[in-house]
Amino acid sequence: MKYVDEYRDRDLARTVAAAIAAEADPDRSYHFMEFCGGHTHAIFRYGVQDLMPENVHFVHGPGCPVCVLPVARLDDAVELAERYGVILCTYGDMMRVPGTKQRSLIRAKADGADVRMVYSTADALRIARENPDRQVVFFAIGFETTTPPTAVALKAAEAEKLGNFSVFCNHVLTPSAISHILESPEVRDLGIVKIDGFLGPSHVSSVIGSQPYEFFAEEFQKPVVIAGFEPLDVMQSVLMLIRQVNDGRCEVENEYTRVVTEEGNVKAQTLVSEVFELRKSFDWRGLGTVPYSALRIRDRFAKFDAEKQFELSVKASREVKSCECPSILRGVKKPTDCKLFGTVCTPQSPVGSCMVSSEGACAAYWTYGRFRDQQPSKLEAAE
Ligand code: SF4
């Protein structure tokens, strides 16, 4: 398949791996945070870690929109579906994320709430048109990649004067999250999380471009390489990061040139700024309250804003204490550090968001990595 197979080529991978091994300085270590869950899954699915020298480490970041949504916002969505009796439309992964007391949208649906999985905002609009006597709320989550389609839906609802459609907006912003991580005591003062550079987001960058990362490359002196989601993209980006570290450079480089430009998708950016504005702060799972890290719907679209149309009263949200998702999302721990991993918590019975999402680190470890450290003989015995 064009633009896929050539980025999974075995011989090319061996060539890049040899260059990485040759250029990685054996007298130092390299710790690169991959912000996106898509990178985490590529690393595990294709065994990229196994092709790295022992001194090149991946630190998993918070780049999974399902994982970073705080429990309180999920509880709000459950309340919308149960208390207000709306048709709640959401993307598939959100259905199974456990909220307070393990209450999820799919459990609410099993108990009679009208929760529907959609593939796009257009699906949610269609449901609103087909059900004029019901209120339809789209539970919008995601980074900059999924924000433009939500903006399109809000503009369409305004143009059509849809009186029964609204959006529960939870769109968050990548650069503020990266800055927040770099300013955290674990990175800046305590040195618990070592970060020598970033594998920058790919899909997000197709919208915002490479330019927004220049601030923290300069300010925090961390190199950034925007990387595609295929295994060769990740490996080539690691090589570019190693070269920057070795040269003492802290620049923004773009490996994903087939999609990402410096300025990004200006049309999408204009659309987003017409419909949304910055929130002063937003709570992220794992990162806590992050200033100016999320969007809210502008007043012009207030009648399509579920937060203004419904009184959301969930006050006492609680996470499962032994779930290590918050530490994993900050790069402080790995999924295998969680004592629930693979025992109580599996994709079939997830305890935390990182095990549910298709981009979650725990799901990646479970699906591709849980037998990595076992000897072949043990694996054979297990079969
Ligand atoms: Fe949370 Fe499950 Fe991951 Fe543990 S394994 S951190 S309980 S999602």
Side-chain angles (χ1 to χ4, degrees), residues 178-180 182-183 188 212-224 250-252:
I178 297 181
S179 296
H180 193 76
L182 289 169
E183 281 169 350
R188 210 159 202 183
Y213 307 104
E214 281 173 13
F215 162 73
F216 57 77
E218 275 174 34
E219 174 75 14
F220 297 99
Q221 289 294 289
K222 300 290 179 193
V224 179
C250 295
E251 298 167 5
V252 178

Side-chain angles (χ1 to χ4, degrees), residues 8 33-48 58-67 93 143 145 199-204 227-235 256 329 357-364 368:
R8 298 177 184 176
M33 176 175 270
E34 81 274 5
F35 185 85
C36 289
H39 290 134
T40 310
H41 276 254
I43 289 162
F44 274 85
R45 182 174 180 191
Y46 297 102
V48 172
F58 291 108
V59 183
H60 314 310
C64 159
V66 173
C67 302
D93 276 356
F143 290 98
T145 328
L199 290 167
S202 52
H203 294 167
V204 162
F229 280 147
E230 293 299 326
L232 276 173
D233 288 317
V234 174
M235 293 178 70
Y256 200 33
L329 292 165
S357 166
S358 57
E359 295 182 8
C362 296
Y368 308 113

Side-chain angles (χ1 to χ4, degrees), residues 98 285 319-328 333-347 349-356 361-363 366:
R285 189 184 301 225
E319 304 208 33
V320 175
K321 270 194 185 147
S322 43
C323 170
E324 300 283 6
C325 280
S327 303
I328 291 166
K333 290 190 175 174
K334 292 192 184 294
T336 41
D337 295 328
C338 173
K339 59 185 179 214
L340 304 185
F341 176 81
T343 54
V344 176
C345 183
T346 65
S349 57
V351 175
S353 56
C354 299
M355 189 58 96
V356 178
C362 296
W366 173 263

